[in-house]
Amino acid sequence: MSLPTINPTQTAAWQKLQAHFELMKEQQMQVLFAADPTRAEKMHIEWQDFLLDYSKNIATEETFALLQELANEVDLKSAIEQYFGGGLINQTENRAVLHTALRSKQTEPILVDGQDVLPEIAAVKAKMKAFSDRIISGAHTGYTGKAITDVVNIGIGGSDLGPAMMVEALKFYKNQLSVHFISNIDGDHVQELLKRIDPETTLFVIVSKTFTTQETLTNAQTIRTWFLQSASEQDVAKHFVAVSTNLQKVQEFGIAPENIFPMWDWVGGRFSLWSAVGLSVSLAVGYDNFEQLLDGAHDMDVHFRTAPFEQNMPVVMALLSIWYNNFYGAQTEAIIPYNQYLQKLVPYLQQGIMESNGKRVGRDGKPVSYQTGTIIWGEPGTNSQHAFFQLIHQGTKLIPTDFIGFKQALYGNKDHQDKLMSNFFAQTEALLMGRPETSGLSPFKVFTGNKPTNTLLIDKLTPASVGALVALYEHKLFVQGIIWNIYSYDQWGVELGKVLANSILTDIETGQIAAHDASTTFLLNKYLG
Ligand code: F6P
């Protein structure tokens, strides 16, 4: 079975939404709130320790009914079943998309090519747990017999952003290990790291799904050469492990089979955090916390798979995003976590969302005639309030914004927490209500309000709640891809640059500049001096 190829603009629901938009485009949320004081009571979803208040959107009950009609017309329900069931929904790469299996608790097999993937997942998890325990306890020592104190994750994209974001997010739960991330091929990045670590006490985790990524292999090679300045070849096994699908290439690099943590084709790089790609997370916070992260994500999977659309957080957030992107012409969405631990959440979600839904060809192989992937950006509050919020409040662009906040501070500092959260609530109120024009008020001080926001209020930042939060956005982007009739799980768009970089590297190394456009030739000549 494959995903249907339904052009959303050809559905009856889309036509109705278009007509409905004509009535809504001048609608003010302030008026909607005044007309219905129970609006927030109606437009929110409570699920476990999450509350999503989506009442501050330029939408009525009719808007939601029509958006759900759209979801039904594109057969979202059966697409969800294909996604969870191991259908080859990454059709352009002929692969299943099964990051959800990595956190599944089901006992019935999940089949890929007729093979149940659950036993292999369990085996890799057991290996991660045993390895994490040995490193954290100091049972595994480095080549001079000292315990490991530092872990370096060498990877890029999905092999970096997920673990780096999560180690930062779960810092409160961290053990004694210092965990570092090296990703950029910029040699200064790796040199800065090497200044700070000791080869005797550092473990290197090379993470690359393909094990062909230029940045990761170059960094790994540089680090290995540095390591061998003080250690010998047989010490490599104690200090280097790898996470990859490409077992042959890993072994060619000199990593012993027992030091390889396998992953699989059916896990996309940007969704691989839940696999052995999360090894650095398991090392940083211990395997039990890693397991709780998976459990939280799994609970969100169950919610997404089973809740009716009107009570389904990822579906509601995706539909609202479609409403603004495709009817209001909003080009970007901001995500503002009011939590410093989540400072890397947005760069992580940028890869997930923009690499997935940045597509211009529909599942029918034809260019789409409507907007697809949204631009995602943001920074934690309250810092962002003092940086770019001006534009959200008084600029000319419509920027739907998600606010993510927690009821409890982890260290329990009530003064800070109350001030933080008063800002959190004040911003969405200001964006909704604005400050109307009154006589004597300078026009520069008028705020129109009517700026849409979602508020996600979560009890506490825990491994489980962060797991659920990330899974929420994974499913949101899935729903959008289904409605936009695109293939969300390939990323051909990053290939061309890689190919050209290889040929330009040859030009630079040989000093012989091949045929390029005039600007690139000019720049290469300047670079080569
Ligand atoms: O170039 C994009 C990409 O393929 C991402 O999708 C992926 O997360 C990243 O490169 C790293 O790939 P790998 O894990 O194979 O090194």
Side-chain angles (χ1 to χ4, degrees):
M1 236 176 107
S2 51
L3 294 172
T5 55
I6 299 168
N7 179 337
T9 63
Q10 306 292 310
T11 60
W14 194 280
Q15 307 308 319
K16 289 187 212 168
L17 279 161
Q18 199 72 63
H20 177 66
F21 172 70
E22 291 305 315
L23 303 173
M24 288 294 292
K25 65 185 182 194
E26 302 301 334
Q27 182 65 265
Q28 299 293 304
M29 273 190 282
Q30 297 95 321
V31 175
L32 296 174
F33 271 91
D36 182 2
T38 66
R39 191 173 156 86
E41 291 299 322
K42 290 179 189 150
M43 294 187 178
H44 78 270
I45 300 171
E46 280 181 89
W47 169 82
Q48 292 196 351
D49 52 348
F50 280 50
L51 166 69
L52 168 67
D53 178 350
Y54 59 92
S55 62
K56 292 187 181 91
N57 280 290
I58 315 168
T60 60
E61 284 171 73
E62 189 184 353
T63 318
F64 285 105
L66 293 176
L67 287 166
Q68 279 164 38
E69 218 177 293
L70 175 64
N72 290 330
E73 253 186 277
V74 300
D75 210 1
L76 175 62
K77 192 75 201 152
S78 85
I80 294 174
E81 282 316 300
Q82 287 196 53
Y83 172 37
F84 281 90
L88 296 180
I89 63 168
N90 177 3
Q91 207 171 307
T92 46
E93 293 181 340
N94 200 30
R95 288 176 185 161
V97 176
L98 271 177
H99 44 277
T100 53
L102 298 164
R103 54 224 191 189
S104 172
K105 291 189 179 150
Q106 81 177 52
T107 43
E108 313 87 75
I110 299 178
L111 300 178
V112 173
D113 292 334
Q115 278 264 310
D116 183 11
V117 295
L118 294 174
E120 313 173 58
I121 295 172
V124 175
K125 282 187 188 171
K127 186 169 173 166
M128 285 173 73
K129 175 174 167 40
F131 185 71
S132 303
D133 288 350
R134 280 169 51 74
I135 296 286
I136 296 164
S137 69
H140 174 115
T141 55
Y143 67 98
T144 56
K146 293 184 186 163
I148 296 296
T149 57
D150 291 71
V151 174
V152 177
N153 187 97
I154 311 168
I156 196 163
S159 298
D160 166 73
L161 291 164
M165 177 276 288
M166 204 50 90
V167 168
E168 185 65 27
L170 300 182
K171 211 173 185 175
F172 180 76
Y173 302 91
K174 242 182 79 354
N175 54 36
Q176 79 285 1
L177 296 172
S178 297
V179 184
H180 316 267
F181 291 86
I182 189 86
S183 51
N184 202 320
I185 199 159
D186 178 350
D188 295 340
H189 190 194
V190 72
Q191 288 309 323
E192 284 298 336
L193 170 79
L194 296 179
K195 283 198 307 205
R196 289 186 284 135
I197 54 172
D198 179 349
E200 290 180 49
T201 54
T202 303
L203 174 78
F204 299 97
V205 183
I206 310 174
V207 187
S208 177
K209 179 177 168 184
T210 55
F211 225 78
T212 57
T213 304
Q214 185 193 45
E215 291 90 337
T216 303
L217 293 190
T218 306
N219 280 328
Q221 200 57 59
T222 300
I223 288 174
R224 192 176 193 276
T225 306
W226 168 84
F227 177 79
L228 290 175
Q229 285 166 8
S230 36
S232 65
E233 279 287 348
Q234 75 258 26
D235 299 329
V236 168
K238 281 180 160 271
H239 290 265
F240 286 77
V241 299
V243 179
S244 187
T245 56
N246 195 338
L247 308 191
Q248 192 189 329
K249 282 252 187 275
V250 179
Q251 287 183 56
E252 281 166 21
F253 183 85
I255 293 192
E258 62 274 18
N259 286 343
I260 304 175
F261 293 80
M263 60 181 292
W264 307 275
D265 266 356
W266 40 262
V267 184
R270 53 196 177 273
F271 307 100
S272 61
L273 164 66
W274 325 98
S275 71
V277 170
L279 185 60
S280 299
V281 183
S282 163
L283 289 164
V285 296
Y287 186 80
D288 289 350
N289 279 318
F290 183 73
E291 188 81 40
Q292 283 182 38
L293 175 74
L294 300 185
D295 289 352
H298 169 72
D299 288 352
M300 180 55 77
D301 295 344
V302 174
H303 166 73
F304 175 55
R305 199 172 174 180
T306 58
F309 290 165
E310 67 276 11
Q311 275 302 310
N312 195 312
M313 287 192 190
V315 172
V316 166
M317 287 176 69
L319 292 177
L320 280 165
S321 176
I322 300 248
W323 178 230
Y324 295 120
N325 184 64
N326 294 95
F327 295 90
Y328 284 81
Q331 293 198 328
T332 79
E333 282 174 14
I335 300 175
I336 314 292
Y338 274 66
N339 188 293
Q340 198 57 29
Y341 290 114
L342 295 184
Q343 59 177 296
K344 295 189 176 170
L345 179 69
V346 175
Y348 169 73
L349 292 177
Q350 282 176 327
Q351 187 199 12
I353 297 169
M354 301 207 279
E355 197 165 80
S356 298
N357 286 340
K359 308 286 164 64
R360 54 172 284 282
V361 170
R363 288 199 291 272
D364 54 3
K366 302 202 176 95
V368 296
S369 58
Y370 45 88
Q371 289 291 319
T372 62
T374 43
I375 300 165
I376 301 298
W377 59 287
E379 280 284 328
T382 58
N383 299 20
S384 46
Q385 293 175 199
H386 299 272
F388 53 73
F389 264 49
Q390 169 65 36
L391 185 112
I392 304 182
H393 282 286
Q394 285 191 315
T396 52
K397 295 182 173 59
L398 181 75
I399 303 168
T401 305
D402 292 349
F403 283 73
I404 303 168
F406 296 85
K407 286 190 194 166
Q408 292 176 46
L410 295 182
Y411 286 100
N413 188 323
K414 190 167 166 9
D415 175 43
H416 282 257
Q417 171 71 4
D418 291 347
K419 286 174 180 163
L420 174 74
M421 293 309 280
S422 59
N423 275 280
F424 175 80
F425 296 118
Q427 289 299 325
T428 61
E429 184 173 30
L431 288 163
L432 163 66
M433 299 303 290
R435 183 195 283 142
E437 222 174 321
T438 48
S439 72
L441 182 68
S442 149
F444 303 107
K445 293 185 178 172
V446 171
F447 289 61
T448 58
N450 203 35
K451 311 282 188 189
T453 59
N454 288 315
T455 299
L456 263 170
L457 187 59
I458 304 168
D459 282 357
K460 185 176 170 186
L461 191 157
T462 63
S465 66
V466 181
L469 178 66
V470 173
L472 165 60
Y473 280 98
E474 285 179 350
H475 299 323
K476 175 187 168 187
L477 78 86
F478 165 83
V479 172
Q480 290 178 290
I482 294 301
I483 293 178
W484 286 326
N485 193 34
I486 54 178
Y487 286 117
S488 296
Y489 295 99
D490 60 21
Q491 61 286 310
W492 302 109
V494 298
E495 296 306 321
L496 177 62
K498 289 184 190 174
V499 173
L500 292 183
N502 277 334
S503 79
I504 289 179
L505 182 60
T506 308
D507 294 2
I508 292 173
E509 284 173 346
T510 60
Q512 306 281 314
I513 301 175
H516 297 282
D517 65 88
S519 164
T520 305
T521 304
F522 170 78
L523 290 168
L524 282 171
N525 275 314
K526 288 283 181 199
Y527 178 69
L528 290 174

